[in-house]
Amino acid sequence: MHATGGRAAPPDTFEWRLPPGFPPPRVPPDNPMTPAKVELGRRLFYDTRLSGNGTQACAGCHRQTLAFTDGRPRAVGSTGEVHPRSSLSLANVAYNVALTWADPDLRSLEEQALVPMFRERPVELGLAGREKELVARLEADGLYAGMFRAAFPGEPGAIRIGNVTRALAAFERTLISGDSPYDRLVYQGRMDALPEAAWRGMRLFFSDRLACSKCHGGINFAGVVVFEGMVGRVEPVFQNTGLYNLGGPGNDPAEDDGLRSVTHRRRDTGRFRTPTLRNIALSAPYMHDGSIPTLEAVIDHYAAGGRAGDNNRYKSLLIRGFAITAAEKHDLIEFLRSLTDESFVTDARFADPWRSPGPVR
Amino acid sequence: MWKMSAVAVVAFVLLHGAALASGGSPMPAPRSPRMAPSAPRLTPEQEAAQRYNDGLKHKDKADALASEAEAEASNAKKRAKLEASARKEYEKAMKEFLGATDRNPAMFQAHGGLGYVYRKTGDFAAALKAYDRALELEPKYTPAIEYRAEAYLGVNRVDEAKTAYMALFNSDRARADELAAAMKSWLQRRRQDAAGLAPETIEDFAKWLSQREEIAGQTSALIQPHGSRW
């Protein structure tokens, strides 16, 4: 309904090509979408010159074939430093209220891109103190001169960090995944899109007994979302799923106690954002620290009411454990698999432009 | 249902409330022409809007009479009388809507209104034509999508009704829910009187409807209807 239909768009108008049922993402007024900017962002996303030592790009930790995760329990930066957390999928990231695993204040993709570029603890891309060097590297490539000019027309000195992050954010907003078998059933009306087992699993997922959808609800299976034209303001929700209970009731490993490290409130101990379950079969291992290897083990974790049992005062009341048969577990996994969007992970628009020719524009 | 912040919930309820309030009618009245005492002549558009609004009044009256008639199950004579009065009101509404489309052929709401009264008076073919015209003029006019689907059901065009349901599901959930309710009562009627439909077709439709209802119960609407406009 929201596609621009058959009308021909002027060349600098970006067309979302949204899946049925998906609202247009919200775009900051100072960074409007244009095809040239998205294309530039894609180049930058896949460019290893964006790391201090030239070895790693954003895509190093966000690989398309893995729904833009990295397949590791915890991410590894350009200098080999291990990140305390697991890489997050970028599928439908444009709809997220707040970004990363546990930061209520980080709300824009433009701002977020600075984190992997410049953070020092841990080092990710390792660009801290090398801003000028990065700009010089990009200026040295004639391709970028033209692309920045096209993306930021009329701006002298367009090659600068603020525009790098704008372009990256514009590209990330296009990473929309909405063509899984589940979407074909729910939003496209193809009643045979889900196998019987996945239908049964869907019922379990949305049941009061398992309560998965109480947190993993909405179009992204991640709770509240923001989008263009929505009414009201939403706040991100963070939950403790009973992953840890170390050294006293409810304690998380000292290196990462989730939301508490931002708010410094005790009750926020071990609270993390509910991540999307789209393409979840592609993004093992699981949880913020990659500590659960398989979907089956994730279900066991929830069935047990959290790893650390009941003696955990920080745990969400929704994590209370449930009985589940082997057949039901199988069905639930089939449902989670039905959230995999093959066209998303093979879409040429999102692929490495340095390797494959770009899409015809 | 999934968790939403209180603010979002309130916003949702308000929006749904508004959408449902206009549910029984083709659309809320377009802004009536504000006449200055010294302005003697109306533009054709203003005249059309006025006739459309008059049509709506008759239509609302007719709807009220029709449901009164429906409630009058025991007294056949009284029922027939009420039905006849309803019909008269529908005809008056039709005249006004025709007048409106005559003054302003681009007024999709009036075409939608025509579709409505044709359908209520049993002329499904004319109703479909009027809804088609309304949607040609404004493809996002969800009231016409909803009511055209009901007209499709009237002539057993089941697949088109399903397609319309999906369009509403993705653009105007309050209307999708209304259509599902209308589909349910249609199903009940066809189970009593198949009106030429094969029993398998009816049961296939029943299965489809219960599956869609299950899905609708699991997923909350995201996109708000385009609709404060209608």
Side-chain angles (χ1 to χ4, degrees), chain A residues 1-2 20-21 23 182 185-187 189 191 199 202-203 206 213-214 217-219 224 227 229-231 233-234, chain B residues 1-5 7-8 11 15 139-140 166-167 169-171 208 211-212 214-215 218-219 222-224 226:
Chain A
M1 294 300 284
H2 284 266
Y182 173 84
L185 168 73
V186 171
Y187 300 108
M191 304 310 286
W199 256 100
M202 178 166 78
R203 253 172 226 144
F206 287 98
S213 64
K214 296 271 194 303
I219 201 156
V224 287
F227 51 90
M230 76 178 279
V231 192
R233 183 180 158 85
V234 288
Chain B
M1 272 310 105
W2 47 287
K3 243 186 156 155
M4 292 192 283
S5 78
V7 182
L15 250 146
K140 287 184 180 150
M166 286 311 302
F169 183 85
N170 288 330
S171 62
W208 175 88
Q211 288 181 330
R212 290 313 312 183
E214 185 180 355
I215 291 167
Q218 292 166 351
T219 51
L222 248 198
I223 299 183
Q224 268 92 43
H226 254 271

Side-chain angles (χ1 to χ4, degrees), chain A residues 96-226:
Chain A
N96 284 355
V97 181
L99 298 165
T100 72
W101 281 102
D103 190 342
D105 304 319
L106 187 51
R107 298 201 176 206
S108 92
L109 288 166
E110 286 80 356
E111 219 184 308
Q112 193 283 330
L114 294 168
V115 177
M117 288 167 75
F118 298 109
R119 179 150 62 184
E120 295 179 81
R121 264 172 313 179
V123 170
E124 294 180 67
L125 294 170
L127 287 168
R130 304 171 88 152
E131 290 84 347
K132 283 205 180 106
E133 189 184 330
L134 171 64
V135 170
R137 282 187 204 171
L138 300 178
E139 278 173 345
D141 187 333
L143 177 73
Y144 275 129
M147 291 190 87
F148 273 90
R149 225 179 300 122
F152 302 98
E155 241 183 78
I159 302 188
R160 54 193 176 86
I161 304 295
N163 284 345
V164 169
T165 56
R166 282 195 185 92
L168 282 169
F171 170 63
E172 291 176 279
R173 290 195 175 92
T174 69
L175 300 175
I176 289 173
S177 173
D179 192 31
S180 65
Y182 173 84
D183 296 303
R184 291 186 199 147
L185 168 73
V186 171
Y187 300 108
Q188 299 169 30
R190 288 163 54 176
M191 304 310 286
D192 57 356
L194 281 202
E196 279 291 316
W199 256 100
R200 292 192 300 266
M202 178 166 78
R203 253 172 226 144
L204 287 168
F205 185 88
F206 287 98
S207 69
D208 285 336
R209 170 157 66 102
L210 270 63
C212 311
S213 64
K214 296 271 194 303
C215 298
H216 296 280
I219 201 156
N220 236 3
F221 301 92
V224 287
V225 289
V226 287

